[in-house]
Amino acid sequence: MKRLYLSLLLLAMAGGLYAQTTDTDASSKKEQREERKLKRISLFKQLEEGENLYQREFSLGGRINTDGWAGFFELGWRKSRQKVTYFQFEFAEKKNPKEDKKPGALKDIDQFGFIYSEKPYIYGKQNNFYQAKLGVGQQRLIGGKGNKNGVLVNAIYYGGLSVGLKKPYYLNVVDPNTSRGVQVKYGQDPLYDQAFLDRSSIIGGAGFGKGWGEVSIVPGIHAKTGLRFDWARFNEVVSALEVGVNAEYYTKDVDIMIDQDPKKFFFNAYIALQFGKRWDKK
């Protein structure tokens, strides 16, 4: 009987120890899960709200200027906590504020009443002027993003070389000798030059592809400064609005409109949007 009581006592003690061990293991696993959860939350907050220290960034964007438009891509690398150096390539076109786009002459009306007309044209235009720009600049931190709803503010300054591409602007006009349509550029023949400022003589535009074989190169330099506001929720994402001013100087006169004096210096204000990503150096 004593042996039976002793065996039951030992079994009870073993069961208690097993239960205590099981409770301890369960508590330990729960603590580990909580710890991993807290680490994930901490990492998430760091990505969302923490200081931006990514080493590389790449973005694409578009820009509206007071005298035209531009598209660009940008590659940057962080030099310090407050400074990012970046390269930018840009393709742009200059537009004169007085450009007036007109519809082409009536071509035909089909049986359903649809109107077909010649290509639209810009009255008084002499040349298209495009620019391929390459430059280097820096972003300097003004204000960091305090939380996920904050905005990162950088001052930017930038400059580089510009290759201007001056392309003759062709029109389809009425030949005064044959009364047939002929595609001409301004300055080609005095006989047709007057037609560029005579709406009754213009049939329509010659099309975007006309004149590329006659492009002339106009070298220049450019520089800009402004402010960049990055509102992306995560630091690894670039979502930025930039506003600023831009100046360009070319070595030859650029004549865009017939009734406007040609010029070498251009100055404009701009607003740009760009999107991309950041990553750490491998």
Side-chain angles (χ1 to χ4, degrees), residues 42-54 144-148 152 233-236:
S42 176
L43 179 60
F44 183 82
K45 290 188 69 177
Q46 184 178 1
L47 287 171
E48 191 177 52
E49 302 178 1
E51 184 176 358
N52 175 21
L53 293 176
Y54 285 102
K145 184 173 67 173
N147 54 60
K148 65 182 180 182
L152 187 70
R233 184 174 183 180
F234 296 98
N235 285 329
E236 64 182 0

Side-chain angles (χ1 to χ4, degrees), residues 110-141:
D110 66 12
Q111 59 180 334
F112 301 104
F114 290 101
I115 298 174
Y116 292 88
S117 61
E118 296 286 346
K119 294 182 178 68
Y121 65 94
I122 299 174
Y123 178 74
K125 194 175 183 73
Q126 181 175 355
N127 291 294
N128 292 105
F129 187 55
Y130 303 97
Q131 311 91 51
K133 302 177 183 178
L134 181 64
V136 61
Q138 285 191 338
Q139 305 175 38
R140 287 191 175 271
L141 182 66

